Amino acid sequence: MTMTKSPIITPQAAIRVRGLSKFFGPIDEGAIARTGPEFGTARDPLSGSIVAAWDVNFDVAAGEALGIVGESGSGKSTVLRCIAGDQPSSAGSVHLMCHDEGRTNVLDLSPAARRKLRIDQLSVVYQDPAEGLSLGVTAGGNIADPLTAAGWRNFEAIRVRARDLLDRTEVPLDRMDDIVRNFSGGMRQRVQIARALANNPPIVLLDEPTTGLDASIASGVLDLIRGLLEELDLAVVVVSHDFGVIEMLTQRCIVMQHGRVVEDALTDQLLEDPQHPYSQKLVTAARS
Amino acid sequence: MSSTVDEIAGPPQSVPFALLDEESKREIRRALLQAVCIPGFQVPFGSREMPVARGWGSGGLQISLAIVGVNDTIKVIDQGDDEGVNAVNLRRLITSSTGIEETSETDEATIVQSRHRIPEDAMTSDHILVLQVPVPEPLRGIERNMKELERMHAEGDYSKMWVSLYEDKVRNGVITQTTGYPCLVAQRYVMATTPIPRWDIPRLHQAEFLTLFGAGREKRVYAIPPFTDVEPLTFEDVPFEVEASNGAKCRLCGSEETFLVETPGSESRWSCSDTAWCRRKRTK
Amino acid sequence: MGYAAARGGLAAIEFAENLVQELRDGHPSSPLETDQVTGRLRLLVDRVMGEAGLWAPELAAQALRQAEGDVIEAVHLLRAFKSTLPRIGISEVVDADDMIPERRIVPAFREPGGPQILGRSTDYTARMLSTTRRETKPKVQPASGTPADEPLDVIPPMQRMSDVLRDMQLLVDRRRTDDSEPFDITRMPAKPPAPRSARLSTMARAETGALVGQWYRNILGPDGYLHEVTLGEVRHGAMPITVTHPVTRNPVKIGEYRVTEVEAIEDLDGIDEDRALFDIGYGLCFGQNERKAIAMANLDIACHRDDQRSELEQSILMTTDGLDSSGFLEHLKLPHYVTFRSMIERKIAVRQARLQSAPTESKP
């Protein structure tokens, strides 16, 4: 699905997502009609194809964090990966203010052009640090990677920048020259965040950034992310199954179930008064 | 039956001029033209099996045989030495299959085929330097997957290479890459400089002569046309270092300004790697 | 000079060459004729021709004699000889069913359509070293193995096992039309992702040991990309070679060559595969070399199923050629004193850098 080139992004929207969909296997209208929350599945019983995400719409402004919440298999990580370019999407559009002033649907860009966006326009922090970091490389070297990709060629300048970022993400500086494989899970996440911020991208996507960490470690990492969001004028999407994370980091959120968005609300409102039965179930479970 | 084959094949020929059949030579020249047009880009070619083994200069030999004409004069060196056994073997293959002149003097040669060195004498636009390449892929040390390597070159995505240089400097205090130092050619492709020593790298930059690289086993050729930028990859504040000789002199000719090789254990242990240069210096 | 081993010029080379030649050709035993090599060392000649990609028994025998029996060296001689020849024509496509069989084994069925022909094989012979030499006159025709009283022309037609499975609707249909012109690996290097024809021709020329090693590594080694297949067909026999006559434009049979052909039946069990169907891997190489053709067929289907997920295809395309691997290995014998000098220099540089940084910064 190709959108015409027009300045469709309003000044407030750093990210505009329209009709974003992702299928696995051949899909027809019947498959869309046979899947979703009311059928309790994303898999079409006839064709076996999967409607991993269907017709996802949202805007995120600079300085704002949007949450995508849902259980595993709801399609929330798929949406994030389609925006990041890790997965090809099946339909829809994604316009980024930072790219061509929002005139281009980045889903239409070549894989090479999409990879270029990842240097200084859009960063991703993954649940698994091995996806976002080279574990055999030092913490500093992991930050040198996006910096050199952006054209940095001065060794001392790279060292200074890496040191600043690691300092800001509370990684002990005496570990800057240790390889990341020797780091704890929480420390790896901090290095991943430092690396994501290396070239001051206007957009950061966080995919379950604290899942799998011990509670005390996770809360430290969450504090760090919240501090960074307050300090930097980022447009952020946070994907999590954990309402605690969503509550702490986001102002607005969407709830996904079986590949569909079932609710779209201010985060406070959603937690106070969830409308959709699935949201109610999730909130009740989180509060108990 | 066999008479039909003979009919189709025509009269039997002796070994052709420059060993390879004309079609093959033309094909290699086409690949070389592409290489010259895209400096530093590895051009795949249908590498032929040569009378020398793969890894023994078969790529350089194919280039020399594809470009040689009856008026050429060939010089072949291995480690800078015209008398290295493999240099001798390659040289006699070229001369015996073409009848052209051979020389050990760089200024008399029109084609210089070399393994691991560039001759000390300044070469000009009258020379073509043919370098034998064992490993044409400069990024293999950091990436093994061929599809990914192709992507990295296509997109000019060399950040992994820079990270490896960064890591090297952090870990070791210096950049420890020895020979075959990676260079950026014409601001576009990162290229493996065969294993020539770092000493020879500055002489590729804006060189008057054409350099052709042949990797027979890996079936790639590439080129540096005359007057092309060849910049060793290094950080702005970490100077590229050629091999330090710390004032050593050649024990035979007394030179300090050439690439010296070492004889372990002896008192005066250094001598010129370029034996023709050294000999001429002594007889002058 | 300190480096006499690799320096010394033409005289030393010629002396080394003469040593080989004189001790080989001057051996007091009776001279080795090429018909002895082709006649008595048939499998060796087959192997050399297969790895060389050149069907020329007489030349292969000469190469083996010149190479003192070194298979890689003989393959090298043949391939380098081939480089001097112009390519004068391209043969017609052959149908493997035109093979005149000398041997056919179908492990997948007890009674396949057509006969099982054991043919010329030591598969079922006790491997007892025979220390006596026997001279016998041949009693059987080369293509036999069937009872001697049954002439060749009454061998019933052999039903191909892939056709049997297709008739039973048990076979994935992946016949395709977009890879009709085979990829010529002698004119353009194959790189992943490559068409199947490039993989098959690479394996057909591969070093037998390298292919068997690649197969076994996948069975027992760390990669594990590969299933053990059930063999549908193992055939060996003569195939016609036909060209278009340059004047009359008619197809003309100009000779024969022997091949080994294998169909390997694969039991599909991947999550994205149809568990109700089989698939087939294919192997074909010059001469009688069943080991190689079987490894090839199994790697063919393994590579197809792997579908770029691992680097199996890269391994097959890049690491199985005997001349590539042996040549590069042996190049280590060449002088490397320029590169080694540069390495020593960097070792000293690292040591100096360490000494300089030691007082200010202590690194683990």
Side-chain angles (χ1 to χ4, degrees):
Chain A
M1 200 177 292
T2 310
M3 305 294 273
T4 50
K5 275 199 168 193
S6 60
I8 67 158
I9 282 210
T10 55
Q12 300 92 322
I15 311 170
R16 171 159 289 178
V17 176
R18 289 291 178 271
L20 187 65
S21 304
K22 174 68 182 176
F23 315 130
F24 295 97
I27 290 288
D28 55 16
E29 282 181 12
I32 305 294
R34 288 186 294 269
T35 53
E38 53 272 46
F39 300 92
T41 181
R43 181 187 287 271
D44 175 20
L46 288 190
S47 64
S49 298
I50 294 170
V51 182
W54 170 248
D55 196 22
V56 177
N57 301 284
F58 59 80
D59 287 359
V60 188
E64 186 188 29
L66 174 102
I68 306 180
V69 70
E71 292 166 306
S72 61
S74 64
K76 58 189 190 307
S77 285
T78 300
V79 169
L80 181 135
R81 281 168 184 272
C82 286
I83 298 171
D86 291 337
Q87 265 183 14
S89 49
S90 305
S93 66
V94 173
H95 292 262
L96 307 177
M97 194 55 178
C98 56
H99 179 73
D100 192 26
E101 293 181 336
R103 280 187 286 269
T104 307
N105 176 5
V106 298
L107 301 182
D108 292 340
L109 296 177
S110 68
R114 297 208 72 184
R115 274 187 287 274
K116 284 222 165 68
L117 289 179
R118 297 284 291 269
I119 295 173
D120 56 2
Q121 303 292 307
L122 182 158
S123 290
V124 185
V125 175
Y126 296 93
Q127 175 184 346
D128 178 4
E131 247 190 289
L133 297 174
S134 304
L135 297 185
V137 167
T138 64
N142 268 289
I143 295 168
D145 189 349
L147 292 178
T148 55
W152 290 52
R153 293 290 179 267
N154 188 293
F155 181 75
E156 266 317 308
I158 292 168
R159 298 283 291 166
V160 168
R161 176 72 179 150
R163 206 173 285 131
D164 287 351
L165 286 160
L166 292 172
D167 196 28
R168 181 66 194 84
T169 52
E170 293 154 22
V171 176
L173 290 183
D174 62 355
R175 304 214 53 192
M176 174 166 159
D177 296 336
D178 289 353
I179 63 166
V180 174
R181 183 169 287 116
N182 298 337
F183 285 24
S184 67
M187 203 62 80
R188 289 181 188 186
Q189 271 327 42
R190 291 170 187 277
V191 176
Q192 216 195 152
I193 293 164
R195 177 194 161 106
L197 298 175
N199 289 316
N200 297 314
I203 297 167
V204 176
L205 311 179
L206 302 159
D207 189 6
E208 304 272 10
T210 55
T211 305
L213 300 179
D214 292 345
S216 60
I217 305 289
S219 79
V221 173
L222 279 178
D223 281 339
L224 168 68
I225 296 173
R226 185 151 83 166
L228 290 168
L229 295 190
E230 280 167 9
E231 181 187 327
L232 307 166
D233 201 28
L234 299 169
V236 173
V237 176
V238 185
V239 162
S240 183
H241 70 287
D242 181 349
F243 259 112
V245 172
I246 298 293
E247 183 177 16
M248 186 154 173
L249 299 181
T250 71
Q251 293 85 49
R252 285 190 303 120
C253 71
I254 60 178
V255 182
M256 287 190 73
Q257 186 190 19
H258 300 305
R260 312 297 165 92
V261 176
V262 296
E263 189 162 353
D264 177 347
L266 294 174
T267 305
D268 294 347
Q269 254 174 27
L270 184 84
L271 288 164
E272 287 296 314
D273 185 18
Q275 299 296 308
H276 192 274
Y278 178 65
S279 311
Q280 289 165 358
K281 193 185 112 191
L282 284 182
V283 171
T284 311
R287 288 285 179 256
S288 62
Chain B
M1 298 264 176
S2 64
S3 66
T4 316
V5 179
D6 292 341
E7 238 168 70
I8 296 171
Q13 291 175 325
S14 55
V15 175
F17 177 81
L19 222 59
L20 293 165
D21 76 284
E22 288 306 316
E23 281 298 323
S24 301
K25 280 184 278 193
R26 210 170 292 158
E27 193 187 306
I28 294 164
R29 287 196 294 267
R30 277 197 294 269
L32 290 171
L33 283 175
Q34 191 186 346
V36 169
C37 293
I38 317 171
F41 173 73
Q42 301 165 49
V43 180
F45 80 113
S47 180
R48 303 302 198 265
E49 279 86 1
M50 303 306 291
V52 301
R54 292 202 154 152
W56 292 61
S58 68
L61 181 63
Q62 285 177 81
I63 291 180
S64 291
L65 293 175
I67 64 172
V68 70
V70 286
N71 296 321
D72 276 310
T73 303
I74 186 94
K75 170 181 167 76
V76 183
I77 51 174
D78 188 331
Q79 317 290 295
D81 186 355
D82 298 82
E83 293 300 310
V85 277
N86 202 46
V88 171
N89 188 35
L90 289 167
R91 185 165 55 241
R92 69 174 175 160
L93 245 169
I94 296 168
T95 54
S96 68
S97 65
T98 59
I100 66 163
E101 294 293 314
E102 62 176 66
T103 183
S104 59
E105 295 304 319
T106 303
D107 61 347
E108 290 172 6
T110 56
I111 300 172
V112 178
Q113 179 171 333
S114 171
R115 174 169 172 265
H116 295 188
R117 274 310 311 277
I118 297 176
E120 299 290 349
D121 285 303
M123 290 192 288
T124 67
S125 54
D126 295 333
H127 295 99
I128 295 176
L129 175 63
V130 177
L131 282 170
Q132 302 167 203
V133 181
V135 179
E137 179 48 70
L139 309 177
R140 189 163 295 154
I142 54 170
E143 177 60 56
R144 306 297 287 197
N145 185 295
M146 291 175 74
K147 277 172 290 178
E148 175 65 3
L149 286 166
E150 199 172 323
R151 184 198 68 72
M152 289 162 77
H153 282 297
E155 295 179 11
D157 177 1
Y158 296 125
S159 61
K160 259 191 166 176
M161 192 69 174
W162 285 103
V163 170
S164 82
L165 293 172
Y166 168 93
E167 295 279 290
D168 196 6
K169 169 83 178 137
V170 164
R171 219 166 283 170
N172 302 309
V174 292
I175 291 175
T176 58
Q177 174 84 33
T178 56
T179 49
Y181 198 93
C183 290
L184 188 68
V185 179
Q187 286 90 44
R188 179 57 185 88
Y189 286 100
V190 169
M191 187 193 83
T193 48
T194 82
I196 57 171
R198 280 164 288 129
W199 180 273
D200 287 339
I201 297 283
R203 296 158 66 212
L204 290 172
H205 179 63
Q206 286 292 327
E208 280 182 46
F209 53 92
L210 167 66
T211 308
L212 301 173
F213 299 81
R217 182 179 54 86
E218 299 215 17
K219 306 165 188 73
R220 298 287 186 280
V221 293
Y222 51 102
I224 303 173
F227 303 107
T228 302
D229 285 345
V230 178
E231 301 157 273
L233 294 187
T234 188
F235 296 101
E236 294 158 358
D237 51 342
V238 180
F240 172 73
E241 291 174 346
V242 301
E243 286 79 358
S245 54
N246 300 320
K249 284 182 182 151
C250 173
R251 62 164 184 224
L252 301 171
C253 73
S255 293
E256 293 173 76
E257 69 277 24
T258 67
F259 184 78
L260 301 173
V261 291
E262 197 169 3
T263 306
S266 62
E267 191 110 320
S268 53
R269 56 203 183 102
W270 297 98
S271 57
C272 291
S273 133
D274 186 337
T275 51
W277 196 93
C278 185
R279 190 173 54 244
R280 201 174 61 247
K281 171 120 194 225
R282 276 176 280 150
T283 53
K284 239 192 273 189
Chain C
M1 293 296 287
Y3 209 75
R7 196 169 186 281
L10 200 53
I13 295 178
E14 283 172 351
F15 189 74
E17 279 174 353
N18 286 341
L19 266 183
V20 172
Q21 204 177 323
E22 280 170 22
L23 294 177
R24 177 191 62 206
D25 299 342
H27 192 268
S29 63
S30 51
L32 182 62
E33 301 301 334
T34 53
D35 68 336
Q36 288 177 286
V37 180
T38 52
R40 296 186 188 277
L41 300 174
R42 181 182 60 107
L43 295 176
L44 179 61
V45 172
D46 280 4
R47 184 165 168 173
V48 166
M49 293 190 294
E51 295 179 15
L54 181 69
W55 184 266
E58 177 72 13
L59 293 178
Q62 285 173 14
L64 273 165
R65 188 174 57 188
Q66 185 180 333
E68 301 185 79
D70 182 336
V71 172
I72 290 285
E73 187 74 15
V75 168
H76 188 175
L77 290 168
L78 279 191
R79 285 214 206 154
F81 171 72
K82 199 170 68 169
S83 294
T84 66
L85 303 176
R87 179 176 285 193
I88 56 168
I90 293 172
S91 62
E92 298 292 308
V93 174
V94 288
D95 184 342
D97 284 335
D98 292 343
M99 181 194 288
I100 300 162
E102 294 180 18
R103 176 163 158 79
R104 189 237 191 167
I105 307 292
V106 181
F109 291 96
R110 179 167 168 177
E111 291 175 23
Q116 308 244 24
I117 309 169
L118 295 193
R120 188 170 172 180
S121 172
T122 57
D123 280 358
Y124 327 96
T125 310
R127 265 56 168 222
M128 308 287 280
L129 181 66
S130 169
T131 51
T132 54
R133 180 158 171 255
R134 289 194 309 150
E135 290 290 348
T136 50
K137 289 252 182 284
K139 290 188 198 115
V140 291
Q141 295 301 312
S144 145
T146 52
D149 58 349
E150 191 181 342
L152 204 67
D153 55 5
V154 300
I155 291 180
M158 302 190 301
Q159 202 179 4
R160 191 167 279 275
M161 285 310 112
S162 52
D163 291 335
V164 171
L165 294 176
R166 199 172 286 121
D167 291 345
M168 294 164 79
Q169 297 185 327
L170 285 173
L171 195 61
V172 173
D173 188 0
R174 53 187 181 95
R175 287 171 291 185
R176 47 194 293 180
T177 52
D178 60 341
D179 185 18
S180 58
E181 196 59 36
F183 187 101
D184 186 349
I185 56 165
T186 69
R187 290 298 181 268
M188 190 46 73
K191 63 180 183 199
R196 187 185 183 199
S197 56
R199 298 200 296 261
L200 290 176
S201 38
T202 299
M203 288 193 280
R205 286 208 324 173
E207 187 188 0
T208 305
L211 215 55
V212 173
Q214 178 74 250
W215 179 84
Y216 199 49
R217 182 193 160 105
N218 278 289
I219 289 287
L220 202 60
D223 308 331
Y225 304 136
L226 183 145
H227 268 173
E228 194 181 312
V229 289
T230 305
L231 294 179
E233 296 281 352
V234 179
R235 297 180 178 188
H236 173 64
M239 299 269 278
I241 181 161
T242 309
V243 296
T244 303
H245 193 282
V247 180
T248 66
R249 313 309 295 170
N250 291 325
V252 185
K253 184 183 166 193
I254 58 168
E256 281 183 354
Y257 54 98
R258 286 181 292 107
V259 295
T260 304
E261 187 198 22
V262 168
E263 283 186 351
I265 305 169
E266 177 74 319
D267 179 13
L268 297 178
D269 65 352
I271 48 162
D272 51 351
E273 293 172 326
D274 190 340
R275 196 73 175 96
L277 296 176
F278 292 110
D279 205 338
I280 294 269
Y282 190 74
L284 182 128
C285 62
F286 273 152
Q288 186 168 6
N289 192 342
E290 290 163 17
R291 228 174 270 149
K292 180 172 177 174
I294 294 167
M296 175 174 169
N298 204 345
L299 286 165
D300 170 49
I301 185 62
C303 205
H304 172 74
R305 296 183 68 208
D306 181 62
D307 193 25
Q308 310 292 324
R309 278 184 282 252
S310 77
E311 274 136 26
L312 176 62
E313 183 186 31
Q314 184 174 329
S315 287
I316 290 170
L317 291 176
M318 307 311 296
T319 70
T320 56
D321 188 84
L323 292 200
D324 285 357
S325 56
S326 292
F328 198 47
L329 177 91
E330 295 205 40
H331 108 284
L332 297 174
K333 294 182 287 188
L334 286 174
H336 280 83
Y337 57 83
V338 164
T339 46
F340 196 64
R341 192 247 139 145
S342 189
M343 287 159 72
I344 291 175
E345 189 269 350
R346 282 290 94 178
K347 297 280 174 218
I348 293 166
V350 170
R351 205 162 56 193
Q352 281 170 346
R354 248 181 232 165
L355 287 174
Q356 279 165 11
S357 68
T360 50
E361 230 181 317
S362 67
K363 280 270 155 298

